[in-house]
Amino acid sequence: MTTQALVGVVMGSSSDWDTMQHAVQILQQFGIPHEARVVSAHRMPDDMFAYAEASQARGLKAIIAGAGGAAHLPGMLAAKTLVPVLGVPVASRHLQGVDSLHSIVQMPKGIPVATFAIGAAGAANAALFAVAMLACEDAALRERLSAFRAEQTAMARGMSLPPA
């Protein structure tokens, strides 16, 4: 039995997988049906437009888009769909992802893209944000997210620091 994806995880190239896999791991941990694809805004713009335009009809509730290098993917997707787009800057070789971060946060008024931290932490947090969005309509998921957060708090409280 195939379960319809609720979250799309997209990236501009397979080299972004090292970062974006952290989003997929969180979605798997919460049992969120998802898909992961390479949809380059530069190398395959027609495919990217088709993906964005069909996303709502296919049942996606959020798109987590990795942005490396020129970083156009999150903004281009957001311009072509009403599905919320969560942008993750992927660290680039030359500017360590700062270029991608700046590109995402400077979207023009009317084309919103939620923006997260550069790299793995941003990918994981984007997935957790998507989980929180879905949990608004799903009591069982809300309980699992609450337990996850309580576990994170307990782990932080249990950490001991070396003496100063």
Side-chain angles (χ1 to χ4, degrees):
M1 177 174 124
T2 304
T3 304
Q4 176 181 322
L6 296 177
V7 177
V9 178
V10 296
M11 59 215 85
S13 83
S14 59
S15 64
D16 296 341
W17 178 246
D18 286 346
T19 296
M20 300 308 292
Q21 70 180 324
H22 298 280
V24 168
Q25 290 167 358
I26 293 289
L27 296 171
Q28 288 172 336
Q29 181 177 346
F30 281 92
I32 304 296
H34 61 280
E35 60 191 23
R37 296 186 184 174
V38 171
V39 185
S40 174
H42 297 104
R43 293 181 185 95
M44 45 200 298
D46 293 336
D47 293 356
M48 187 265 318
F49 284 138
Y51 183 87
E53 290 168 346
S55 61
Q56 189 171 13
R58 290 190 313 105
L60 292 182
K61 304 299 182 194
I63 299 170
I64 301 171
H72 295 312
L73 185 59
M76 295 294 288
L77 289 167
K80 298 297 281 180
T81 185
L82 296 178
V83 173
V85 176
L86 316 177
V88 177
V90 175
S92 58
R93 186 175 9 166
H94 300 291
L95 297 172
Q96 291 71 49
V98 174
D99 53 337
S100 301
L101 175 66
H102 287 178
S103 177
I104 299 170
V105 298
Q106 295 183 82
M107 289 303 301
K109 180 179 178 181
I111 309 294
V113 176
T115 309
F116 294 86
I118 297 168
N125 281 337
L128 287 167
F129 193 88
V131 171
M133 289 171 35
L134 294 169
C136 290
E137 302 295 324
D138 183 332
L141 184 56
R142 193 167 39 253
E143 287 179 29
R144 290 197 314 270
L145 181 58
S146 181
F148 174 85
R149 289 186 178 173
E151 182 180 312
Q152 296 292 303
T153 300
M155 286 189 326
R157 285 185 178 138
M159 290 182 184
S160 59
L161 299 175

